[in-house]
Amino acid sequence: MKSYEQERYTVENNQHITPAQYSSAEFEAAYTYSGADLGATWSAAKTCFRVWAPTAEAVKVNLYRGGTPGTEDLLESLPMTAAENGTWVAEKAGDLNGVYYTYSVTRRGETVEACDPYARTTGVNGLRAMVIDLASTNPAGWNDDGDPHYGLPITDAVIYELHVRDVSLDDNSGIHNKGKYLGLTERGTATPDGIPTGLDHIRNLGVTHLHLLPVYDYGSVDETRLDVPQFNWGYDPVNFNVPEGSYSTDPYRGAVRVAEFKLMVKALHDAGISVVMDVVYNHVYEAGDFCFNRIVPEYFSRSKDHVYSNGSGCGNDTASERSMVRKFIVDSVKYWADEYHIDGFRFDLVGLIDCETINAIVDAVHETHPNVIFYGEGWTMPTGLTKENVPLCTQLNAAQTPKFAFFSDTVRDALRGTVFVDNAPGFISGLAGQEAVLEKCFRGQPDWCPGPGQTVNYASCHDNMALFDRIVLSTPNATREDHIRMNNLAAAFCMTAQGVPFFQAGEEMLRSKPLPGGGFDENSYKSPDSVNAIKWADLSKEEYRQVLRYYQGLIAFRKAHPLLRQMDAEGVNATVTSVSGLAANVLAFRISGEAEPGKEIFIAFNANPTAAVVQLPVGTWNVYADAESAGDTVIGTAVGAIPVEPISAAILVKEEKRIETKPDGRQIALGALAAAAAGGILAAVLRRKK
Ligand code: CA
């Protein structure tokens, strides 16, 4: 870069820089800082501060004894020195671990105080940053802690989406640390009837990844008022690199939230569960108040003529295409992977973030953590980009971000009905004509999707109606038994389709969000715990436990069959054959290939209220799932054809020989036994003896 371009912007004339210039090549050439030392870098001997403030005329770092704004406990204000690429630096000798700080930035003739965008932790409500000796917060064994699913592709994941409060708030959870990170560290918790809850429940379910709704510091819950119940999903970021304080046992002391968050990750890893964070880089709580924008006005968020773009619907959109925003997001994700051992990231409204930023994140994280998985909401939304020709990370651009997966609203809507009408039916609830789209979804290749490694298949998440509520609303005249069959049919599809299965916590026990005045809550983002919390006592009823066992069984079957977990479209298309000539609202597939020598899987889905007889390829087939049960054990045998019960899935495997050890130690070859029993009868099905 020519030196005159560097010199155009100096501390003397930078008052004249306007937000309209932030995205120019000249500005980025002069003011892109690439070092790894932004924020407060602690050592026992000294702490170094560096903040990026290219439009400032003066910057100070204020050191405080405590983390609560309004408290008169200033220790010292240190002037900072202008340094390379628009950064400012200061250094303080001594051990500053536990000292709080802010920056005072003079720009546009006005001095504002701001938290550090690179804060590692903060005091209450995230307004003052804290210098921290991060190693001092590590739990025992942290250096040996890691992803229990290290090395496995994303299609091996089974993802369970949970809010920290929802798992523990119910009176019957048996969990001591209600609403806290520590609630997810408790083992042996149970309902009054002795049914496992919390971490034990999640572990027993067999999911591989626990996806937590926002756990970075957000603004909508007042951390000074934890004596009153407050609920929010937390899609309103304040400090991207700081754990949320309300989930800690003491939001006033900055080290506590860090230490307890790590204890949670460690406990989950020890239980064999990987951890995914929901990250919301696409917008912030209040753009004008966001610390980055206070330090460099309007830099972090897209604006035009000082009006913020609002594609997110949350008041502002992040200008990820700007070099120092991109760096901030890359640094932030990498920090969570490095410091907190996070194994996956779910990006909220990732369609507002540019592909280059997403690919930079994936590459940076995978350098040291090749196991980390990435997925997000790739909806197409209007936004006021500040550069030309910037592709955004949407479903439609999926080929440009090959290591990033997207929620498939295609399969969601085809299964349960369009998201835009609360009571619209889908395939499971009687909508005809969904076969073609679901055939593509079963192959992990809806129209927008290059292959199964990029589609997250789901029928419920925190947004919109819970699956069971949607089913009840869309089929008010169906029986409860049929409602449950619809629920389980959706689960069977998502759990056997190519791609990444995902579901909202509690779907496996018919989670519902009823409103006190009747009806169901379709947007419970700030609804009380009484609506949101998982109702553990439901598991006292056999009906709910049976659904839970069905999910456990589907997950176990998926885990046992690599043919269901393929990563690329070519492999799927060479191994998955669609069965033709079926009745309406029936789908069936044959799956066989080198991944499972000597085996063939046959899966049929019948959405009709009557049984559908589906012809089977020649041979004897072991049944692993029907309308009532599912698992990795044989529950019956079929030859010639199988009657797929009303509103249900049938999962079968033809295997040359399957040896099982009976409780008395006898080994039996099930294939041979079944063939003898079936005796060539056309549609013999040996039901399991109950
Ligand atoms: Ca907070």
mmCIF file of all heavy atoms in Angstrom, residues 55-74:
data_model
loop_
_atom_site.group_PDB
_atom_site.id
_atom_site.type_symbol
_atom_site.label_atom_id
_atom_site.label_comp_id
_atom_site.label_asym_id
_atom_site.label_seq_id
_atom_site.Cartn_x
_atom_site.Cartn_y
_atom_site.Cartn_z
ATOM 1 N N THR A 55 -11.302 6.737 14.674
ATOM 2 C CA THR A 55 -11.841 8.091 14.525
ATOM 3 C C THR A 55 -11.734 8.892 15.822
ATOM 4 O O THR A 55 -12.294 9.979 15.928
ATOM 5 C CB THR A 55 -13.324 8.044 14.083
ATOM 6 O OG1 THR A 55 -14.102 7.407 15.108
ATOM 7 C CG2 THR A 55 -13.491 7.275 12.779
ATOM 8 N N ALA A 56 -11.016 8.358 16.803
ATOM 9 C CA ALA A 56 -10.904 9.057 18.088
ATOM 10 C C ALA A 56 -9.805 10.105 18.051
ATOM 11 O O ALA A 56 -8.813 9.959 17.341
ATOM 12 C CB ALA A 56 -10.623 8.051 19.202
ATOM 13 N N GLU A 57 -9.987 11.156 18.836
ATOM 14 C CA GLU A 57 -8.885 12.117 19.001
ATOM 15 C C GLU A 57 -8.149 11.876 20.308
ATOM 16 O O GLU A 57 -7.011 12.307 20.468
ATOM 17 C CB GLU A 57 -9.401 13.554 18.935
ATOM 18 C CG GLU A 57 -10.599 13.828 19.800
ATOM 19 C CD GLU A 57 -11.247 15.163 19.466
ATOM 20 O OE1 GLU A 57 -10.673 16.195 19.834
ATOM 21 O OE2 GLU A 57 -12.326 15.148 18.840
ATOM 22 N N ALA A 58 -8.786 11.188 21.243
ATOM 23 C CA ALA A 58 -8.122 10.815 22.497
ATOM 24 C C ALA A 58 -8.853 9.623 23.099
ATOM 25 O O ALA A 58 -10.069 9.494 22.939
ATOM 26 C CB ALA A 58 -8.139 11.983 23.488
ATOM 27 N N VAL A 59 -8.099 8.745 23.760
ATOM 28 C CA VAL A 59 -8.701 7.589 24.430
ATOM 29 C C VAL A 59 -8.007 7.392 25.778
ATOM 30 O O VAL A 59 -6.783 7.554 25.888
ATOM 31 C CB VAL A 59 -8.560 6.290 23.592
ATOM 32 C CG1 VAL A 59 -9.316 5.140 24.265
ATOM 33 C CG2 VAL A 59 -9.053 6.482 22.167
ATOM 34 N N LYS A 60 -8.797 7.094 26.783
ATOM 35 C CA LYS A 60 -8.250 6.744 28.096
ATOM 36 C C LYS A 60 -8.811 5.388 28.502
ATOM 37 O O LYS A 60 -9.905 5.009 28.081
ATOM 38 C CB LYS A 60 -8.674 7.780 29.156
ATOM 39 C CG LYS A 60 -8.006 9.122 29.010
ATOM 40 C CD LYS A 60 -8.307 10.018 30.201
ATOM 41 C CE LYS A 60 -9.782 10.350 30.303
ATOM 42 N NZ LYS A 60 -10.086 11.308 31.397
ATOM 43 N N VAL A 61 -8.064 4.667 29.326
ATOM 44 C CA VAL A 61 -8.621 3.460 29.942
ATOM 45 C C VAL A 61 -8.818 3.768 31.423
ATOM 46 O O VAL A 61 -7.915 4.264 32.096
ATOM 47 C CB VAL A 61 -7.737 2.206 29.697
ATOM 48 C CG1 VAL A 61 -6.297 2.399 30.179
ATOM 49 C CG2 VAL A 61 -8.354 0.976 30.360
ATOM 50 N N ASN A 62 -10.049 3.536 31.902
ATOM 51 C CA ASN A 62 -10.405 3.819 33.295
ATOM 52 C C ASN A 62 -10.391 2.515 34.079
ATOM 53 O O ASN A 62 -11.078 1.565 33.712
ATOM 54 C CB ASN A 62 -11.809 4.418 33.371
ATOM 55 C CG ASN A 62 -11.995 5.557 32.384
ATOM 56 O OD1 ASN A 62 -11.274 6.555 32.439
ATOM 57 N ND2 ASN A 62 -12.940 5.398 31.461
ATOM 58 N N LEU A 63 -9.625 2.491 35.147
ATOM 59 C CA LEU A 63 -9.554 1.282 35.980
ATOM 60 C C LEU A 63 -10.421 1.481 37.222
ATOM 61 O O LEU A 63 -10.355 2.521 37.877
ATOM 62 C CB LEU A 63 -8.108 1.007 36.394
ATOM 63 C CG LEU A 63 -7.098 0.897 35.245
ATOM 64 C CD1 LEU A 63 -5.696 0.619 35.796
ATOM 65 C CD2 LEU A 63 -7.513 -0.193 34.255
ATOM 66 N N TYR A 64 -11.258 0.471 37.513
ATOM 67 C CA TYR A 64 -12.191 0.561 38.644
ATOM 68 C C TYR A 64 -11.997 -0.621 39.582
ATOM 69 O O TYR A 64 -11.629 -1.720 39.151
ATOM 70 C CB TYR A 64 -13.639 0.519 38.161
ATOM 71 C CG TYR A 64 -14.086 1.687 37.323
ATOM 72 C CD1 TYR A 64 -14.114 1.589 35.935
ATOM 73 C CD2 TYR A 64 -14.517 2.871 37.924
ATOM 74 C CE1 TYR A 64 -14.548 2.644 35.154
ATOM 75 C CE2 TYR A 64 -14.959 3.935 37.149
ATOM 76 C CZ TYR A 64 -14.983 3.819 35.764
ATOM 77 O OH TYR A 64 -15.421 4.855 34.999
ATOM 78 N N ARG A 65 -12.339 -0.386 40.830
ATOM 79 C CA ARG A 65 -12.283 -1.475 41.799
ATOM 80 C C ARG A 65 -13.425 -2.474 41.550
ATOM 81 O O ARG A 65 -13.243 -3.672 41.682
ATOM 82 C CB ARG A 65 -12.377 -0.914 43.230
ATOM 83 C CG ARG A 65 -12.251 -1.966 44.320
ATOM 84 C CD ARG A 65 -12.057 -1.338 45.697
ATOM 85 N NE ARG A 65 -10.744 -0.714 45.815
ATOM 86 C CZ ARG A 65 -10.525 0.593 45.997
ATOM 87 N NH1 ARG A 65 -11.537 1.417 46.105
ATOM 88 N NH2 ARG A 65 -9.300 1.068 46.079
ATOM 89 N N GLY A 66 -14.601 -1.974 41.183
ATOM 90 C CA GLY A 66 -15.765 -2.857 41.016
ATOM 91 C C GLY A 66 -16.354 -2.775 39.618
ATOM 92 O O GLY A 66 -15.955 -1.950 38.794
ATOM 93 N N GLY A 67 -17.342 -3.625 39.365
ATOM 94 C CA GLY A 67 -17.907 -3.732 38.025
ATOM 95 C C GLY A 67 -19.261 -3.088 37.862
ATOM 96 O O GLY A 67 -19.916 -3.266 36.829
ATOM 97 N N THR A 68 -19.702 -2.315 38.874
ATOM 98 C CA THR A 68 -21.051 -1.767 38.826
ATOM 99 C C THR A 68 -21.009 -0.289 38.466
ATOM 100 O O THR A 68 -20.456 0.519 39.221
ATOM 101 C CB THR A 68 -21.745 -1.953 40.190
ATOM 102 O OG1 THR A 68 -21.627 -3.321 40.570
ATOM 103 C CG2 THR A 68 -23.208 -1.573 40.094
ATOM 104 N N PRO A 69 -21.573 0.093 37.332
ATOM 105 C CA PRO A 69 -21.553 1.506 36.929
ATOM 106 C C PRO A 69 -22.274 2.366 37.957
ATOM 107 O O PRO A 69 -23.220 1.915 38.612
ATOM 108 C CB PRO A 69 -22.319 1.508 35.602
ATOM 109 C CG PRO A 69 -22.283 0.113 35.131
ATOM 110 C CD PRO A 69 -22.230 -0.750 36.342
ATOM 111 N N GLY A 70 -21.817 3.591 38.088
ATOM 112 C CA GLY A 70 -22.411 4.491 39.069
ATOM 113 C C GLY A 70 -21.718 4.417 40.409
ATOM 114 O O GLY A 70 -21.941 5.257 41.269
ATOM 115 N N THR A 71 -20.860 3.422 40.570
ATOM 116 C CA THR A 71 -20.107 3.296 41.819
ATOM 117 C C THR A 71 -18.856 4.175 41.722
ATOM 118 O O THR A 71 -18.161 4.154 40.721
ATOM 119 C CB THR A 71 -19.696 1.824 42.037
ATOM 120 O OG1 THR A 71 -20.822 0.996 41.792
ATOM 121 C CG2 THR A 71 -19.176 1.608 43.431
ATOM 122 N N GLU A 72 -18.622 4.974 42.765
ATOM 123 C CA GLU A 72 -17.459 5.885 42.757
ATOM 124 C C GLU A 72 -16.222 5.125 43.213
ATOM 125 O O GLU A 72 -15.786 5.259 44.339
ATOM 126 C CB GLU A 72 -17.729 7.078 43.680
ATOM 127 C CG GLU A 72 -18.902 7.940 43.251
ATOM 128 C CD GLU A 72 -18.654 8.682 41.938
ATOM 129 O OE1 GLU A 72 -17.499 9.068 41.681
ATOM 130 O OE2 GLU A 72 -19.612 8.839 41.162
ATOM 131 N N ASP A 73 -15.693 4.297 42.339
ATOM 132 C CA ASP A 73 -14.538 3.499 42.755
ATOM 133 C C ASP A 73 -13.437 3.497 41.689
ATOM 134 O O ASP A 73 -12.768 2.501 41.482
ATOM 135 C CB ASP A 73 -14.974 2.072 43.114
ATOM 136 C CG ASP A 73 -15.692 1.376 41.967
ATOM 137 O OD1 ASP A 73 -15.923 2.024 40.930
ATOM 138 O OD2 ASP A 73 -16.005 0.191 42.099
ATOM 139 N N LEU A 74 -13.307 4.648 41.021
ATOM 140 C CA LEU A 74 -12.249 4.782 40.004
ATOM 141 C C LEU A 74 -10.883 4.699 40.670
ATOM 142 O O LEU A 74 -10.607 5.394 41.650
ATOM 143 C CB LEU A 74 -12.386 6.128 39.282
ATOM 144 C CG LEU A 74 -11.360 6.404 38.184
ATOM 145 C CD1 LEU A 74 -11.581 5.479 36.990
ATOM 146 C CD2 LEU A 74 -11.425 7.862 37.742
#
